Amino acid sequence: DRSRYSAGPGREPSGIIEAICIGWFTAECVVRFIVSKNKCEFVKRPLNIIDLLAITPYYISVLMTVFTGENSQLQRAGVTLRVLRMMRIFWVIKLARHFIGLQTLGLTLKRCYREMVMLLVFICVAMAIFSALSQLLEHGLDLETSNKDFASIPAACWWVIISMTTVGYGDMYPITVPGRILGGVCVVSGIVLLALPITFIYHSFVQCYHELKFRSARYSRSLSAEFLN
């Protein structure tokens, strides 16, 4: 780790490829900022903010590597560099600029935020109820044969959420008959609660997809007409 973070991001082949990509992304952002008519509106756009978050960690990591060198702050700087380099995942979100599927997802979440909040409220209420009941049935009634996995309500919340979403990792499970019955009710309730708002989200997703597809086709036709003219 010491040699890795002290050598800098431009010494290895992967670092060279990364530097070229960062240079390309930086030039793209600078050119788009220069040619934009409204600079304030350009800075406020979500996709441009994502571009900035994807580019900035590279330059910060380079500066930190240069200034820390081999001193006692290198280990702490190495942790910071790892965190900053994880922010490169924002590069994937840059695909939303060119991929209609990600644009549809973002527009759907923007329009269905009330349904998303309602879904979270349903899950939180059910989690509070089932976690309290499961902790009581598995740990609170009989302390001698109690299930240690359900020692507290927050610990039982993990079991409730993986049961309601039908994931079921199997790392913790009820061992008493009332607890297993409650587990079945929890799974069925999770399926019903998750299905209620998802119908509205699905219809909104289809509508947003057709809308963006129509916009893209109309924009392509306008560009073709301008090119021919």
Side-chain angles (χ1 to χ4, degrees):
D1 289 340
R2 180 180 295 272
S3 61
R4 176 183 178 185
Y5 291 102
S6 62
R11 303 291 181 83
E12 299 179 355
S14 60
I16 297 174
I17 297 175
E18 181 183 8
I20 295 174
C21 295
I22 287 292
W24 178 270
F25 293 152
T26 305
E28 177 195 4
C29 289
V30 171
V31 170
R32 286 193 290 106
F33 178 76
I34 293 174
V35 300
S36 62
K37 297 180 180 180
N38 191 342
K39 301 296 190 294
C40 296
E41 185 67 23
F42 178 86
V43 175
K44 295 179 181 179
R45 291 178 180 175
L47 290 178
N48 296 330
I49 296 175
I50 291 172
D51 291 342
L52 183 63
L53 292 177
I55 295 172
T56 304
Y58 176 81
Y59 294 104
I60 296 178
S61 62
V62 171
L63 292 176
M64 292 189 64
T65 304
V66 171
F67 287 115
T68 54
E70 295 289 343
N71 56 25
S72 59
Q73 296 181 351
L74 182 61
Q75 184 177 2
R76 183 170 55 186
V79 176
T80 307
L81 292 180
R82 286 192 286 269
V83 174
L84 291 174
R85 288 174 180 176
M86 282 298 297
M87 293 181 65
R88 296 170 187 169
I89 194 65
F90 286 109
W91 290 1
V92 179
I93 309 180
K94 285 173 63 67
L95 295 174
R97 191 184 302 277
H98 310 286
F99 185 49
I100 191 173
L102 293 178
Q103 295 177 9
T104 305
L105 178 61
L107 184 59
T108 303
L109 295 178
K110 182 179 179 180
R111 292 184 178 180
C112 298
Y113 71 94
R114 293 182 179 178
E115 288 77 8
M116 298 296 295
V117 171
M118 181 173 59
L119 178 61
L120 292 177
V121 170
F122 287 166
I123 294 177
C124 291
V125 171
M127 187 186 304
I129 296 174
F130 286 111
S131 60
L133 292 177
S134 61
Q135 193 274 338
L136 176 64
L137 295 177
E138 292 292 317
H139 186 79
L141 295 181
D142 191 357
L143 297 179
E144 296 182 357
T145 60
S146 61
N147 192 346
K148 301 300 181 181
D149 293 333
F150 295 83
S152 62
I153 293 179
C157 286
W158 169 248
W159 171 78
V160 173
I161 190 63
I162 62 176
S163 298
M164 291 184 63
T165 55
T166 66
V167 176
Y169 289 118
D171 53 345
M172 55 187 301
Y173 49 86
I175 57 177
T176 62
V177 175
R180 293 177 179 178
I181 296 175
L182 179 66
V185 176
C186 178
V187 172
V188 175
S189 301
I191 295 174
V192 174
L193 291 178
L194 292 176
L196 291 177
I198 286 180
T199 305
F200 300 99
I201 298 174
Y202 167 74
H203 288 296
S204 179
F205 180 85
V206 174
Q207 182 180 0
C208 293
Y209 176 75
H210 290 296
E211 180 180 342
L212 291 176
K213 196 174 181 180
F214 176 75
R215 289 182 186 177
S216 178
R218 186 175 59 181
Y219 181 71
S220 299
R221 287 195 299 267
S222 63
L223 288 181
S224 300
E226 292 179 2
F227 178 75
L228 292 176
N229 292 332

